[in-house]
Amino acid sequence: MRPRFRQSMSWLHTWSGFVFAWLLFFIFITGTAGYFENEIDRWMKPEIAIVNEPIDDLAILDIAQQQLTDNAEDATQWYISYPSARNPYIDISWLQPANKETGARRQWYEKNLAPDTSELITTRETSGGEALYRLHYSLHYVPIVVGYLVTSLATMLMLIGLVTGVIIHKKIFIEFFTFRANKGLRSWLDIHNIFSVLPLPFHLMITYSGLILLMGISFAPVVDATYGEGKKMHRQLYNETQAENLTKEVIALPAENLSLESALIDAKSRFKDQAVSYLGLIDRNTEQPGFEVWFGAQEGIELATLFTYRAVGGQVQIEQATGKKYSAAEVYDVLEHLHEGLFADTYLRWLYFLSGLLGAGMIATGMIIWVQKRKKQQSRFINVIDKLNAAVVVGLPIGIAAYFWANRLLPVEMASRAHWEMNSLFIVFALCSCFCVTRAAEKAWQNMLWLAAVAYALIPLVNMLTTKHSILSSLQNNDWLMLGVDLSMLVFAGGFAVTAIVLQRRSVIGSANAHIKQTVKGI
Amino acid sequence: MNITKKHLSVFHVTTRVLIALIGGYFVAMHGAILIGNHLLSDKTNSIITGLMSSFIIYLITVLFVFATKTTLRAFAVVLVSCILLYFLNYYLQGPQ
């Protein structure tokens, strides 16, 4: 039973990994980029004003509320974003209801405010870091539900690959510390093991939580059979599951005096040392608008603590959520928060990022091993897979570099600018694939790595030439986000260059060895 | 044309893949429905639990389909599980 079990699990590991390997690599890379979506957003909107000196909370409320009154009179919700470490700017956003006359859909608008002039800043039209991260579950150029279902299926196969990988792994703790260099396939396997076992808790968490985040869609028939069919019933169940335990406290503030200012002042008096992250005005078009004050949470894996002030029956009461009503929903929340990592501070965030890259590396080395094991067969199909591996593993990062290049190079007034930035990613990705197919497999890898190194190394230069942000000026202005992205681009470029050099040296040694062998045989 | 060993092997592998992929989904779906309808008196909690468990059920079913000795056994167990889960749910719901 045992050898056959191991064999069948080994087969399953190989093929469940193979089927969606490229898509899963795409999902891991774009999702991992998402851990720095705020920073990428800042880089892609160089016009945004950075707030470095602390500004009085009420002063921010003043200028933000003025702009909201001028621009968002009919909005059902208003939000003001206060400067924080990852978002050092003042933002206003509002939810504009659907307009039956113009046919405009209900949608959110977001604008950045310059603290010195109190004016709205027009930024270039871009989908930013957020769009990059959304690729990892909605894909692109396909209807959103198709994206959800395909990524869910791929993730299910990922889970199967992970679990079968653990099953077939013989000496999981010893091999954790083993790396035998220069031994061809054995070395690739060792690297694959390290990339898989070292961050194994992360891989299992991210895969399972990814599955449950889309469970309402992938297992929609379950909702149909247990709750009800149709969009309305599904939405009703969703709203039901999100129900929270609310504590309500009546306070001394007179109902007529309830406003954002009074709510802010009261909330700050209760939470003296906490920084305000958002103010919100919800249900603006109803009898009982809610005045929200958000504080960055100080512990656990929640992102923020929220107080909602409402005038109810002549009195003002504060609502605070103390957890979800349903315990299963709490479990779901924990997994959701772990997946998104919104709570993570700088160091933990880099750990998330690194773990994601290791996951992508796990998939990439898996694809490489699949080809290496079959190289002796000398089939054209294996050869094409080898070349396309290079196209995906290195071509996708090059595509992402193209996304950043397009952000700087496309004219600011261009129509559908955001769409064309994303198109650039995929156009360059496709071009890389075409290029790789025409080259010999080994050359394909080397060329792509050098191309990636150059593409990333030049990004800070393009930044400097097209905007007023250079590495030096970012240092001087304490623009850490801009600086961080620029420097990271250089680090990635270095990584690609080093890999290209290592590969080149290896191929020189390899061909020299082959030459010697042939000469010896001839004698 | 003779049916070679290779043909048989391809048939068995393909069948197991289909049983695992499609049959596994149905087992997971019916298991989730059963949990969602009958696990606890609290319907919402049950449904969320059922949905979250579905993936584990799917995983176990897939592993079983490929580990079990014969393709026939894989097919039989998955089919019987589906039928059992479906009728158990129907029975527990009572006359409606």
Side-chain angles (χ1 to χ4, degrees), chain A residues 269-337:
Chain A
S269 70
R270 287 164 196 280
F271 259 12
K272 285 204 190 353
D273 300 319
Q274 305 280 347
V276 177
S277 22
Y278 303 98
L279 289 182
L281 220 184
I282 60 172
D283 301 327
R284 276 189 74 234
N285 49 344
T286 68
E287 298 264 302
Q288 290 181 340
F291 297 82
E292 296 184 345
V293 183
W294 297 71
F295 292 97
Q298 291 307 297
E299 53 186 74
I301 59 172
E302 293 296 319
L303 177 60
T305 312
L306 163 62
F307 296 102
T308 311
Y309 290 73
R310 256 184 238 269
V312 180
Q315 292 177 312
V316 175
Q317 67 182 28
I318 307 178
E319 288 168 12
Q320 193 188 357
T322 54
K324 288 276 188 313
K325 185 170 156 197
Y326 295 102
S327 45
E330 286 274 353
V331 174
Y332 178 94
D333 264 8
V334 167
L335 286 163
E336 180 188 37
H337 294 151

Side-chain angles (χ1 to χ4, degrees), chain A residues 481-494:
Chain A
L481 303 182
M482 180 69 75
L483 183 66
V485 175
D486 271 349
L487 288 179
S488 301
M489 300 294 108
L490 292 176
V491 169
F492 294 144

Side-chain angles (χ1 to χ4, degrees), chain A residues 48-177:
Chain A
I48 295 183
I50 297 289
V51 173
N52 270 321
E53 266 93 51
I55 306 179
D56 178 49
D57 288 346
L58 283 164
I60 293 177
L61 172 56
D62 245 353
I63 59 178
Q65 197 159 26
Q66 184 58 52
Q67 291 291 352
L68 279 166
T69 318
D70 291 343
N71 293 289
E73 196 45 57
D74 324 315
T76 53
Q77 293 186 28
W78 279 4
Y79 274 97
I80 303 168
S81 284
Y82 275 66
S84 68
R86 288 190 71 210
N87 292 309
Y89 7 90
I90 304 169
D91 274 340
I92 56 170
S93 45
W94 64 95
L95 181 59
Q96 198 69 23
N99 189 327
K100 290 204 175 66
E101 292 159 31
T102 63
R105 293 168 59 182
R106 189 181 78 143
Q107 72 175 56
W108 281 96
Y109 290 92
E110 191 177 330
K111 289 276 182 233
N112 185 255
L113 243 65
D116 41 2
T117 62
S118 311
E119 292 293 316
L120 293 181
I121 300 176
T122 16
T123 58
R124 60 190 65 198
E125 188 204 332
T126 175
S127 17
E130 188 177 338
L132 195 58
Y133 120 84
R134 277 192 205 279
L135 287 177
H136 93 284
Y137 60 92
S138 344
L139 305 182
H140 205 58
Y141 304 124
V142 293
I144 205 166
V145 176
V146 172
Y148 290 168
L149 291 174
V150 171
T151 51
S152 288
L153 183 59
T155 313
M156 190 64 217
L157 291 184
M158 175 84 204
L159 185 63
I160 294 169
L162 275 173
V163 172
T164 50
V166 171
I167 291 174
I168 65 178
H169 194 100
K170 266 189 179 148
K171 301 168 190 171
I172 202 159
F173 289 116
I174 297 175
E175 294 212 323
F176 183 92
F177 299 105

Side-chain angles (χ1 to χ4, degrees), chain A residues 7-46:
Chain A
Q7 272 174 357
S8 54
M9 292 298 106
S10 180
W11 182 95
L12 189 53
H13 178 80
T14 303
W15 294 103
S16 69
F18 176 81
V19 170
F20 276 117
W22 290 332
L23 178 61
L24 284 165
F25 183 81
F26 177 86
I27 292 172
F28 261 80
I29 293 287
T30 47
T32 304
Y35 286 124
F36 286 114
E37 65 160 336
N38 295 41
E39 289 76 0
I40 297 174
D41 266 348
R42 191 272 170 284
W43 192 91
M44 294 184 83
K45 294 186 210 174

